[in-house]
């Protein structure tokens, strides 16, 4: 156990300290009030003079009312412009999404057509090979030209010439169809590009026309509001 000593507080000393603090605070407050009283500003003396411009009170109030109306119309016009710009942005976003979907659909359609053309080409090529194989088999069964005299050429030579002519016609027909398909794809690509350019130009013209219409409407409203007041301004000849 640690021994300790309990010292009782000195009430007299505590009261003296509190009294000295209170007296010092009162002295500072009195000094502040006395300083403010000594440095109080005096009365302001100004030479009377005429204020205001050349306009009368009625004209000034009319001008103030006109400016207030113009500010209201400008705020209203700004709100309308904001709503229109927001709507135009939403419509542009919707048109952009539609254009993207349309482009995807067109690409898918082109891809399907290309696949269909490839399948047709493969089918035509397979048919061509099978036809050639059949004709080659028929040619193998015919006698050779060197081994047969010219006088003996009869139905066999006629069959060979027919098979040769038929193969040549197949080749020409296949080449013609391939060339037609290539030209068709080229025409479709050119038509798609031309259509996209026309849509882009139409959107640009519509946007410019809308901007021009909004600006003209705002200028017309502003001119209609300012014209009657300008007619009744003092100093203007009726």
């Amino acid at each position: 156990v640690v021994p300790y000593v309990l010292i009782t507080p000195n009430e007299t000393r505590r009261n003296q300290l509190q009294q000295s603090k209170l007296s010092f605070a009162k002295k500072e407050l009195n000094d502040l009030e006395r300083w403010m009283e000594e440095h109080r500003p005096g009365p302001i003396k100004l030479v009377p003079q005429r204020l205001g411009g050349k306009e009368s009170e009625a004209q000034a109030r009319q001008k103030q009312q006109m400016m207030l109306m113009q500010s209201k119309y400008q705020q209203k016009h700004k709100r309308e412009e904001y709503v229109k710009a927001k709507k135009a942005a939403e419509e542009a976003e919707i048109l952009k999404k539609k254009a993207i979907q349309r482009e995807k659909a067109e690409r898918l359609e082109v891809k399907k057509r290309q696949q269909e053309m490839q399948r047709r080409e493969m089918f035509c090529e397979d048919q061509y090979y099978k036809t050639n194989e059949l004709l080659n088999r028929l040619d193998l069964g015919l006698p050779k030209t060197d081994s047969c005299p010219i006088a003996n050429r009869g139905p066999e030579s006629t069959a060979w010439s027919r098979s040769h002519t038929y193969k040549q016609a197949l080749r020409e027909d296949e080449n013609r169809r391939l060339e037609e398909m290539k030209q068709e794809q080229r025409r479709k690509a050119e038509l798609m590009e031309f259509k996209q350019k026309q849509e882009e130009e139409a959107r640009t013209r519509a946007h410019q026309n809308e901007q021009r219409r909004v600006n003209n409407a705002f200028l017309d409203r502003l001119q209609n509001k300012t014209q009657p007041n300008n007619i009744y301004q003092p100093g203007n000849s009726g």
Side-chain angles (χ1 to χ4, degrees), residues 87-103:
K87 187 176 179 180
E90 292 177 354
E91 291 179 355
E93 187 68 22
I94 293 173
L95 290 175
K96 184 178 179 181
K97 291 181 179 178
K98 287 183 179 179
I100 292 173
Q101 294 297 328
R102 191 182 301 110
E103 186 177 357

PDB file of all heavy atoms in Angstrom, residues 87-103:
ATOM      1  N   LYS A  87     -34.241  16.045 -76.722  1.00  0.00           N
ATOM      2  CA  LYS A  87     -35.067  15.174 -77.557  1.00  0.00           C
ATOM      3  C   LYS A  87     -34.337  14.800 -78.834  1.00  0.00           C
ATOM      4  O   LYS A  87     -34.384  13.647 -79.279  1.00  0.00           O
ATOM      5  CB  LYS A  87     -36.373  15.887 -77.872  1.00  0.00           C
ATOM      6  CG  LYS A  87     -37.383  15.013 -78.600  1.00  0.00           C
ATOM      7  CD  LYS A  87     -38.684  15.753 -78.802  1.00  0.00           C
ATOM      8  CE  LYS A  87     -39.690  14.877 -79.544  1.00  0.00           C
ATOM      9  NZ  LYS A  87     -40.973  15.606 -79.754  1.00  0.00           N
ATOM     10  N   ALA A  88     -33.644  15.807 -79.437  1.00  0.00           N
ATOM     11  CA  ALA A  88     -32.893  15.526 -80.663  1.00  0.00           C
ATOM     12  C   ALA A  88     -31.772  14.524 -80.393  1.00  0.00           C
ATOM     13  O   ALA A  88     -31.499  13.638 -81.210  1.00  0.00           O
ATOM     14  CB  ALA A  88     -32.322  16.824 -81.233  1.00  0.00           C
ATOM     15  N   ALA A  89     -31.107  14.675 -79.226  1.00  0.00           N
ATOM     16  CA  ALA A  89     -30.042  13.730 -78.887  1.00  0.00           C
ATOM     17  C   ALA A  89     -30.607  12.320 -78.703  1.00  0.00           C
ATOM     18  O   ALA A  89     -30.012  11.336 -79.170  1.00  0.00           O
ATOM     19  CB  ALA A  89     -29.328  14.184 -77.619  1.00  0.00           C
ATOM     20  N   GLU A  90     -31.776  12.225 -78.045  1.00  0.00           N
ATOM     21  CA  GLU A  90     -32.394  10.904 -77.871  1.00  0.00           C
ATOM     22  C   GLU A  90     -32.793  10.311 -79.222  1.00  0.00           C
ATOM     23  O   GLU A  90     -32.573   9.117 -79.473  1.00  0.00           O
ATOM     24  CB  GLU A  90     -33.614  11.032 -76.958  1.00  0.00           C
ATOM     25  CG  GLU A  90     -33.261  11.380 -75.509  1.00  0.00           C
ATOM     26  CD  GLU A  90     -34.497  11.576 -74.655  1.00  0.00           C
ATOM     27  OE1 GLU A  90     -35.611  11.543 -75.232  1.00  0.00           O
ATOM     28  OE2 GLU A  90     -34.347  11.761 -73.435  1.00  0.00           O
ATOM     29  N   GLU A  91     -33.396  11.155 -80.099  1.00  0.00           N
ATOM     30  CA  GLU A  91     -33.774  10.659 -81.422  1.00  0.00           C
ATOM     31  C   GLU A  91     -32.548  10.249 -82.233  1.00  0.00           C
ATOM     32  O   GLU A  91     -32.570   9.245 -82.945  1.00  0.00           O
ATOM     33  CB  GLU A  91     -34.559  11.736 -82.167  1.00  0.00           C
ATOM     34  CG  GLU A  91     -35.939  11.998 -81.581  1.00  0.00           C
ATOM     35  CD  GLU A  91     -36.681  13.091 -82.322  1.00  0.00           C
ATOM     36  OE1 GLU A  91     -36.050  13.696 -83.227  1.00  0.00           O
ATOM     37  OE2 GLU A  91     -37.868  13.332 -82.012  1.00  0.00           O
ATOM     38  N   ALA A  92     -31.463  11.058 -82.108  1.00  0.00           N
ATOM     39  CA  ALA A  92     -30.237  10.699 -82.824  1.00  0.00           C
ATOM     40  C   ALA A  92     -29.675   9.375 -82.311  1.00  0.00           C
ATOM     41  O   ALA A  92     -29.197   8.545 -83.094  1.00  0.00           O
ATOM     42  CB  ALA A  92     -29.204  11.808 -82.670  1.00  0.00           C
ATOM     43  N   GLU A  93     -29.762   9.181 -80.980  1.00  0.00           N
ATOM     44  CA  GLU A  93     -29.283   7.911 -80.420  1.00  0.00           C
ATOM     45  C   GLU A  93     -30.132   6.740 -80.915  1.00  0.00           C
ATOM     46  O   GLU A  93     -29.612   5.672 -81.271  1.00  0.00           O
ATOM     47  CB  GLU A  93     -29.327   7.987 -78.892  1.00  0.00           C
ATOM     48  CG  GLU A  93     -28.698   6.800 -78.190  1.00  0.00           C
ATOM     49  CD  GLU A  93     -27.200   6.734 -78.380  1.00  0.00           C
ATOM     50  OE1 GLU A  93     -26.593   7.774 -78.690  1.00  0.00           O
ATOM     51  OE2 GLU A  93     -26.645   5.627 -78.209  1.00  0.00           O
ATOM     52  N   ILE A  94     -31.465   6.973 -80.971  1.00  0.00           N
ATOM     53  CA  ILE A  94     -32.348   5.912 -81.468  1.00  0.00           C
ATOM     54  C   ILE A  94     -32.062   5.614 -82.940  1.00  0.00           C
ATOM     55  O   ILE A  94     -31.996   4.451 -83.361  1.00  0.00           O
ATOM     56  CB  ILE A  94     -33.822   6.321 -81.261  1.00  0.00           C
ATOM     57  CG1 ILE A  94     -34.141   6.378 -79.761  1.00  0.00           C
ATOM     58  CG2 ILE A  94     -34.757   5.348 -81.962  1.00  0.00           C
ATOM     59  CD1 ILE A  94     -35.505   6.935 -79.453  1.00  0.00           C
ATOM     60  N   LEU A  95     -31.894   6.688 -83.732  1.00  0.00           N
ATOM     61  CA  LEU A  95     -31.578   6.491 -85.153  1.00  0.00           C
ATOM     62  C   LEU A  95     -30.241   5.782 -85.330  1.00  0.00           C
ATOM     63  O   LEU A  95     -30.079   4.940 -86.223  1.00  0.00           O
ATOM     64  CB  LEU A  95     -31.554   7.844 -85.867  1.00  0.00           C
ATOM     65  CG  LEU A  95     -32.905   8.549 -86.042  1.00  0.00           C
ATOM     66  CD1 LEU A  95     -32.707   9.922 -86.659  1.00  0.00           C
ATOM     67  CD2 LEU A  95     -33.848   7.711 -86.895  1.00  0.00           C
ATOM     68  N   LYS A  96     -29.281   6.120 -84.461  1.00  0.00           N
ATOM     69  CA  LYS A  96     -27.981   5.470 -84.534  1.00  0.00           C
ATOM     70  C   LYS A  96     -28.102   3.978 -84.242  1.00  0.00           C
ATOM     71  O   LYS A  96     -27.526   3.139 -84.946  1.00  0.00           O
ATOM     72  CB  LYS A  96     -27.022   6.136 -83.550  1.00  0.00           C
ATOM     73  CG  LYS A  96     -25.608   5.614 -83.606  1.00  0.00           C
ATOM     74  CD  LYS A  96     -24.720   6.366 -82.624  1.00  0.00           C
ATOM     75  CE  LYS A  96     -23.293   5.821 -82.650  1.00  0.00           C
ATOM     76  NZ  LYS A  96     -22.424   6.530 -81.678  1.00  0.00           N
ATOM     77  N   LYS A  97     -28.882   3.659 -83.203  1.00  0.00           N
ATOM     78  CA  LYS A  97     -29.079   2.245 -82.871  1.00  0.00           C
ATOM     79  C   LYS A  97     -29.810   1.516 -84.004  1.00  0.00           C
ATOM     80  O   LYS A  97     -29.461   0.386 -84.346  1.00  0.00           O
ATOM     81  CB  LYS A  97     -29.858   2.125 -81.567  1.00  0.00           C
ATOM     82  CG  LYS A  97     -29.089   2.578 -80.342  1.00  0.00           C
ATOM     83  CD  LYS A  97     -29.910   2.405 -79.079  1.00  0.00           C
ATOM     84  CE  LYS A  97     -29.118   2.844 -77.842  1.00  0.00           C
ATOM     85  NZ  LYS A  97     -29.938   2.717 -76.608  1.00  0.00           N
ATOM     86  N   LYS A  98     -30.832   2.210 -84.581  1.00  0.00           N
ATOM     87  CA  LYS A  98     -31.543   1.587 -85.698  1.00  0.00           C
ATOM     88  C   LYS A  98     -30.618   1.373 -86.891  1.00  0.00           C
ATOM     89  O   LYS A  98     -30.677   0.340 -87.561  1.00  0.00           O
ATOM     90  CB  LYS A  98     -32.721   2.465 -86.105  1.00  0.00           C
ATOM     91  CG  LYS A  98     -33.880   2.446 -85.121  1.00  0.00           C
ATOM     92  CD  LYS A  98     -35.032   3.279 -85.643  1.00  0.00           C
ATOM     93  CE  LYS A  98     -36.215   3.242 -84.673  1.00  0.00           C
ATOM     94  NZ  LYS A  98     -37.345   4.070 -85.172  1.00  0.00           N
ATOM     95  N   ALA A  99     -29.756   2.378 -87.143  1.00  0.00           N
ATOM     96  CA  ALA A  99     -28.820   2.238 -88.259  1.00  0.00           C
ATOM     97  C   ALA A  99     -27.852   1.082 -88.017  1.00  0.00           C
ATOM     98  O   ALA A  99     -27.520   0.325 -88.939  1.00  0.00           O
ATOM     99  CB  ALA A  99     -28.049   3.541 -88.453  1.00  0.00           C
ATOM    100  N   ILE A 100     -27.410   0.934 -86.757  1.00  0.00           N
ATOM    101  CA  ILE A 100     -26.502  -0.167 -86.433  1.00  0.00           C
ATOM    102  C   ILE A 100     -27.207  -1.506 -86.639  1.00  0.00           C
ATOM    103  O   ILE A 100     -26.644  -2.446 -87.231  1.00  0.00           O
ATOM    104  CB  ILE A 100     -25.988  -0.023 -84.999  1.00  0.00           C
ATOM    105  CG1 ILE A 100     -25.063   1.203 -84.890  1.00  0.00           C
ATOM    106  CG2 ILE A 100     -25.230  -1.263 -84.566  1.00  0.00           C
ATOM    107  CD1 ILE A 100     -24.645   1.529 -83.481  1.00  0.00           C
ATOM    108  N   GLN A 101     -28.469  -1.591 -86.146  1.00  0.00           N
ATOM    109  CA  GLN A 101     -29.221  -2.829 -86.339  1.00  0.00           C
ATOM    110  C   GLN A 101     -29.490  -3.107 -87.812  1.00  0.00           C
ATOM    111  O   GLN A 101     -29.406  -4.255 -88.268  1.00  0.00           O
ATOM    112  CB  GLN A 101     -30.547  -2.738 -85.570  1.00  0.00           C
ATOM    113  CG  GLN A 101     -30.398  -2.684 -84.063  1.00  0.00           C
ATOM    114  CD  GLN A 101     -29.775  -3.938 -83.493  1.00  0.00           C
ATOM    115  OE1 GLN A 101     -29.963  -5.038 -84.013  1.00  0.00           O
ATOM    116  NE2 GLN A 101     -29.012  -3.791 -82.427  1.00  0.00           N
ATOM    117  N   ARG A 102     -29.803  -2.017 -88.566  1.00  0.00           N
ATOM    118  CA  ARG A 102     -30.043  -2.203 -90.000  1.00  0.00           C
ATOM    119  C   ARG A 102     -28.771  -2.670 -90.704  1.00  0.00           C
ATOM    120  O   ARG A 102     -28.800  -3.552 -91.583  1.00  0.00           O
ATOM    121  CB  ARG A 102     -30.524  -0.887 -90.608  1.00  0.00           C
ATOM    122  CG  ARG A 102     -31.058  -1.043 -92.030  1.00  0.00           C
ATOM    123  CD  ARG A 102     -31.463   0.293 -92.605  1.00  0.00           C
ATOM    124  NE  ARG A 102     -32.477   0.933 -91.802  1.00  0.00           N
ATOM    125  CZ  ARG A 102     -32.276   2.027 -91.063  1.00  0.00           C
ATOM    126  NH1 ARG A 102     -31.087   2.599 -91.055  1.00  0.00           N
ATOM    127  NH2 ARG A 102     -33.244   2.559 -90.360  1.00  0.00           N
ATOM    128  N   GLU A 103     -27.646  -2.071 -90.309  1.00  0.00           N
ATOM    129  CA  GLU A 103     -26.379  -2.471 -90.920  1.00  0.00           C
ATOM    130  C   GLU A 103     -26.048  -3.925 -90.587  1.00  0.00           C
ATOM    131  O   GLU A 103     -25.567  -4.674 -91.442  1.00  0.00           O
ATOM    132  CB  GLU A 103     -25.273  -1.543 -90.421  1.00  0.00           C
ATOM    133  CG  GLU A 103     -23.930  -1.758 -91.096  1.00  0.00           C
ATOM    134  CD  GLU A 103     -22.888  -0.774 -90.615  1.00  0.00           C
ATOM    135  OE1 GLU A 103     -23.224   0.105 -89.801  1.00  0.00           O
ATOM    136  OE2 GLU A 103     -21.727  -0.902 -91.061  1.00  0.00           O
TER     137      GLU A 103
END
